[in-house]
Short mmCIF file of all heavy atoms in Angstrom, two decimals:
data_model
loop_
_atom_site.label_atom_id
_atom_site.label_comp_id
_atom_site.label_asym_id
_atom_site.label_seq_id
_atom_site.Cartn_x
_atom_site.Cartn_y
_atom_site.Cartn_z
N GLU A 8 -1.57 0.15 11.59
CA GLU A 8 -2.34 0.47 12.72
C GLU A 8 -1.70 1.67 13.44
O GLU A 8 -2.45 2.61 13.85
CB GLU A 8 -2.36 -0.68 13.69
CG GLU A 8 -3.20 -0.50 14.98
CD GLU A 8 -3.26 -1.75 15.83
OE1 GLU A 8 -2.29 -2.45 15.95
OE2 GLU A 8 -4.27 -1.96 16.37
N TRP A 9 -0.42 1.82 13.64
CA TRP A 9 0.22 2.94 14.18
C TRP A 9 -0.05 4.24 13.46
O TRP A 9 -0.38 5.24 14.02
CB TRP A 9 1.73 2.69 14.31
CG TRP A 9 2.39 3.81 15.07
CD1 TRP A 9 2.58 3.93 16.34
CD2 TRP A 9 3.05 5.02 14.46
NE1 TRP A 9 3.22 5.09 16.59
CE2 TRP A 9 3.61 5.70 15.46
CE3 TRP A 9 3.19 5.32 13.17
CZ2 TRP A 9 4.26 6.96 15.24
CZ3 TRP A 9 3.87 6.53 12.86
CH2 TRP A 9 4.38 7.32 13.91
N LEU A 10 -0.02 4.17 12.04
CA LEU A 10 -0.28 5.30 11.21
C LEU A 10 -1.76 5.76 11.46
O LEU A 10 -1.92 6.96 11.62
CB LEU A 10 -0.11 4.98 9.74
CG LEU A 10 1.53 4.94 9.37
CD1 LEU A 10 1.56 4.31 7.95
CD2 LEU A 10 2.08 6.15 9.49
N SER A 11 -2.63 4.83 11.58
CA SER A 11 -3.97 5.27 11.82
C SER A 11 -4.15 6.02 13.15
O SER A 11 -4.99 6.92 13.26
CB SER A 11 -5.06 4.05 11.76
OG SER A 11 -4.92 3.20 12.86
N GLU A 12 -3.42 5.58 14.16
CA GLU A 12 -3.51 6.24 15.44
C GLU A 12 -2.87 7.70 15.41
O GLU A 12 -3.16 8.47 16.23
CB GLU A 12 -2.80 5.42 16.49
CG GLU A 12 -3.32 4.19 16.78
CD GLU A 12 -2.49 3.20 17.68
OE1 GLU A 12 -1.33 3.53 17.95
OE2 GLU A 12 -2.96 2.22 18.13
N GLN A 13 -2.08 7.95 14.38
CA GLN A 13 -1.61 9.29 14.08
C GLN A 13 -2.43 10.16 13.19
O GLN A 13 -2.08 11.27 12.86
CB GLN A 13 -0.14 9.13 13.44
CG GLN A 13 0.79 8.25 14.18
CD GLN A 13 0.93 8.36 15.67
OE1 GLN A 13 1.20 9.45 16.21
NE2 GLN A 13 0.73 7.27 16.44
N GLY A 14 -3.63 9.53 12.87
CA GLY A 14 -4.50 10.37 11.94
C GLY A 14 -4.14 10.15 10.51
O GLY A 14 -4.63 10.90 9.63
N VAL A 15 -3.27 9.15 10.13
CA VAL A 15 -2.88 9.05 8.76
C VAL A 15 -3.69 7.92 8.10
O VAL A 15 -3.77 6.90 8.63
CB VAL A 15 -1.40 8.62 8.60
CG1 VAL A 15 -1.02 8.25 7.21
CG2 VAL A 15 -0.45 9.73 9.22
N ASN A 16 -4.28 8.12 6.95
CA ASN A 16 -5.01 7.11 6.07
C ASN A 16 -3.89 6.48 5.37
O ASN A 16 -3.05 7.09 4.72
CB ASN A 16 -5.91 7.80 5.18
CG ASN A 16 -6.94 8.63 5.93
OD1 ASN A 16 -7.56 8.20 6.91
ND2 ASN A 16 -7.14 9.93 5.51
N ALA A 17 -3.90 5.08 5.45
CA ALA A 17 -2.76 4.35 4.74
C ALA A 17 -3.40 3.03 4.29
O ALA A 17 -4.29 2.42 4.80
CB ALA A 17 -1.68 4.09 5.75
N MET A 18 -2.75 2.49 3.23
CA MET A 18 -3.16 1.17 2.70
C MET A 18 -1.92 0.53 1.95
O MET A 18 -1.08 1.25 1.60
CB MET A 18 -4.31 1.32 1.71
CG MET A 18 -3.94 2.00 0.41
SD MET A 18 -5.25 1.78 -0.70
CE MET A 18 -4.26 1.60 -2.23
N ILE A 19 -1.96 -0.82 1.89
CA ILE A 19 -0.98 -1.45 1.07
C ILE A 19 -1.86 -2.45 0.19
O ILE A 19 -2.89 -2.96 0.66
CB ILE A 19 -0.01 -2.27 1.83
CG1 ILE A 19 1.05 -2.87 0.89
CG2 ILE A 19 -0.55 -3.22 2.76
CD1 ILE A 19 2.35 -3.30 1.60
N ARG A 20 -1.47 -2.56 -1.10
CA ARG A 20 -2.20 -3.41 -2.02
C ARG A 20 -1.26 -4.03 -3.00
O ARG A 20 -0.13 -3.63 -3.16
CB ARG A 20 -3.28 -2.62 -2.73
CG ARG A 20 -2.76 -1.71 -3.83
CD ARG A 20 -3.76 -0.92 -4.50
NE ARG A 20 -4.62 -1.74 -5.31
CZ ARG A 20 -4.52 -1.99 -6.67
NH1 ARG A 20 -3.49 -1.47 -7.30
NH2 ARG A 20 -5.40 -2.77 -7.25
N VAL A 21 -1.75 -5.19 -3.48
CA VAL A 21 -1.01 -5.86 -4.54
C VAL A 21 -1.85 -6.02 -5.79
O VAL A 21 -3.02 -6.18 -5.70
CB VAL A 21 -0.50 -7.27 -4.05
CG1 VAL A 21 -1.65 -8.20 -3.79
CG2 VAL A 21 0.43 -7.88 -5.08
N ASP A 22 -1.25 -5.77 -6.94
CA ASP A 22 -2.04 -5.81 -8.22
C ASP A 22 -1.41 -6.97 -9.02
O ASP A 22 -0.35 -6.97 -9.47
CB ASP A 22 -1.65 -4.48 -8.98
CG ASP A 22 -2.47 -4.27 -10.18
OD1 ASP A 22 -2.58 -5.33 -10.95
OD2 ASP A 22 -2.92 -3.16 -10.56
N ALA A 23 -2.27 -7.91 -9.13
CA ALA A 23 -1.94 -9.24 -9.81
C ALA A 23 -1.55 -9.02 -11.29
O ALA A 23 -0.69 -9.61 -11.80
CB ALA A 23 -3.13 -10.18 -9.73
N ASP A 24 -2.27 -8.07 -11.96
CA ASP A 24 -1.91 -7.80 -13.34
C ASP A 24 -0.49 -7.17 -13.41
O ASP A 24 0.27 -7.64 -14.40
CB ASP A 24 -2.93 -6.84 -14.00
CG ASP A 24 -4.31 -7.41 -14.11
OD1 ASP A 24 -4.41 -8.61 -14.24
OD2 ASP A 24 -5.21 -6.60 -14.10
N ARG A 25 -0.07 -6.37 -12.50
CA ARG A 25 1.25 -5.81 -12.56
C ARG A 25 2.27 -6.89 -12.29
O ARG A 25 3.40 -6.89 -12.84
CB ARG A 25 1.32 -4.50 -11.64
CG ARG A 25 0.65 -3.40 -12.16
CD ARG A 25 0.84 -2.11 -11.46
NE ARG A 25 1.57 -2.14 -10.28
CZ ARG A 25 1.59 -1.16 -9.33
NH1 ARG A 25 1.11 0.03 -9.60
NH2 ARG A 25 2.27 -1.28 -8.24
N ALA A 26 1.91 -7.81 -11.36
CA ALA A 26 2.85 -8.93 -11.04
C ALA A 26 3.09 -9.82 -12.29
O ALA A 26 4.20 -10.17 -12.46
CB ALA A 26 2.26 -9.74 -9.91
N VAL A 27 2.07 -10.13 -13.00
CA VAL A 27 2.15 -10.90 -14.19
C VAL A 27 2.97 -10.15 -15.17
O VAL A 27 3.73 -10.83 -16.00
CB VAL A 27 0.81 -11.31 -14.83
CG1 VAL A 27 0.89 -11.76 -16.17
CG2 VAL A 27 0.04 -12.12 -13.81
N ALA A 28 2.85 -8.86 -15.25
CA ALA A 28 3.64 -8.11 -16.26
C ALA A 28 5.06 -7.77 -15.73
O ALA A 28 5.86 -7.10 -16.43
CB ALA A 28 2.87 -6.78 -16.47
N ASN A 29 5.51 -8.44 -14.62
CA ASN A 29 6.76 -8.14 -14.09
C ASN A 29 7.04 -6.76 -13.75
O ASN A 29 8.25 -6.23 -13.76
CB ASN A 29 7.90 -8.76 -14.87
CG ASN A 29 9.14 -9.10 -14.13
OD1 ASN A 29 9.02 -9.35 -12.99
ND2 ASN A 29 10.30 -9.06 -14.83
N SER A 30 6.01 -6.02 -13.28
CA SER A 30 6.05 -4.65 -12.89
C SER A 30 6.06 -4.66 -11.34
O SER A 30 5.56 -5.64 -10.73
CB SER A 30 5.03 -3.81 -13.40
OG SER A 30 5.08 -3.72 -14.87
N PRO A 31 6.39 -3.55 -10.76
CA PRO A 31 6.20 -3.48 -9.23
C PRO A 31 4.72 -3.65 -8.83
O PRO A 31 3.94 -2.66 -9.06
CB PRO A 31 6.71 -2.06 -8.95
CG PRO A 31 7.62 -1.72 -10.01
CD PRO A 31 7.06 -2.35 -11.21
N ALA A 32 4.51 -4.74 -8.21
CA ALA A 32 3.01 -5.12 -7.98
C ALA A 32 2.58 -4.58 -6.62
O ALA A 32 1.31 -4.44 -6.44
CB ALA A 32 2.87 -6.67 -7.94
N TRP A 33 3.41 -4.26 -5.68
CA TRP A 33 3.00 -3.84 -4.44
C TRP A 33 3.00 -2.37 -4.38
O TRP A 33 3.86 -1.64 -4.81
CB TRP A 33 3.86 -4.43 -3.33
CG TRP A 33 3.80 -5.87 -3.15
CD1 TRP A 33 4.43 -6.82 -3.79
CD2 TRP A 33 2.89 -6.51 -2.24
NE1 TRP A 33 3.94 -8.03 -3.31
CE2 TRP A 33 3.07 -7.76 -2.29
CE3 TRP A 33 1.89 -5.92 -1.29
CZ2 TRP A 33 2.29 -8.75 -1.66
CZ3 TRP A 33 1.15 -6.87 -0.59
CH2 TRP A 33 1.40 -8.26 -0.70
N THR A 34 1.90 -1.73 -3.77
CA THR A 34 1.92 -0.22 -3.47
C THR A 34 1.38 0.11 -2.09
O THR A 34 0.48 -0.52 -1.63
CB THR A 34 0.76 0.24 -4.51
OG1 THR A 34 1.17 -0.05 -5.92
CG2 THR A 34 0.49 1.79 -4.33
N PHE A 35 2.09 1.00 -1.58
CA PHE A 35 1.73 1.64 -0.29
C PHE A 35 1.27 3.03 -0.54
O PHE A 35 2.02 3.71 -1.35
CB PHE A 35 2.88 1.54 0.73
CG PHE A 35 2.63 2.19 1.95
CD1 PHE A 35 2.05 1.63 3.07
CD2 PHE A 35 3.00 3.53 2.14
CE1 PHE A 35 1.80 2.37 4.22
CE2 PHE A 35 2.74 4.33 3.25
CZ PHE A 35 2.16 3.69 4.32
N ALA A 36 0.19 3.43 0.08
CA ALA A 36 -0.19 4.86 -0.08
C ALA A 36 -0.60 5.37 1.22
O ALA A 36 -1.13 4.73 2.11
CB ALA A 36 -1.32 5.01 -1.13
N ALA A 37 -0.27 6.66 1.54
CA ALA A 37 -0.69 7.34 2.77
C ALA A 37 -0.96 8.81 2.55
O ALA A 37 -0.37 9.40 1.72
CB ALA A 37 0.46 7.19 3.80
N SER A 38 -1.87 9.37 3.34
CA SER A 38 -2.30 10.76 3.25
C SER A 38 -2.93 11.14 4.63
O SER A 38 -3.37 10.26 5.48
CB SER A 38 -3.27 11.07 2.17
OG SER A 38 -4.42 10.38 2.31
N GLY A 39 -3.01 12.41 4.71
CA GLY A 39 -3.70 12.96 5.94
C GLY A 39 -2.83 13.05 7.20
O GLY A 39 -1.65 12.76 7.19
#
């Protein structure tokens, strides 16, 4: 929420397939 107030587009997601494969399943991305 704070990032959006600064004009930053941001998200966090989890990928179940990567979790099953024991890879880093969580991803945060930001831009703008």
Side-chain angles (χ1 to χ4, degrees):
E8 185 175 37
W9 183 86
L10 287 169
S11 74
E12 292 171 354
Q13 311 312 304
V15 176
N16 301 308
M18 67 166 218
I19 186 164
R20 71 181 296 266
V21 63
D22 184 321
D24 292 334
R25 289 188 350 189
V27 169
N29 203 27
S30 297
W33 289 91
T34 300
F35 173 89
S38 64

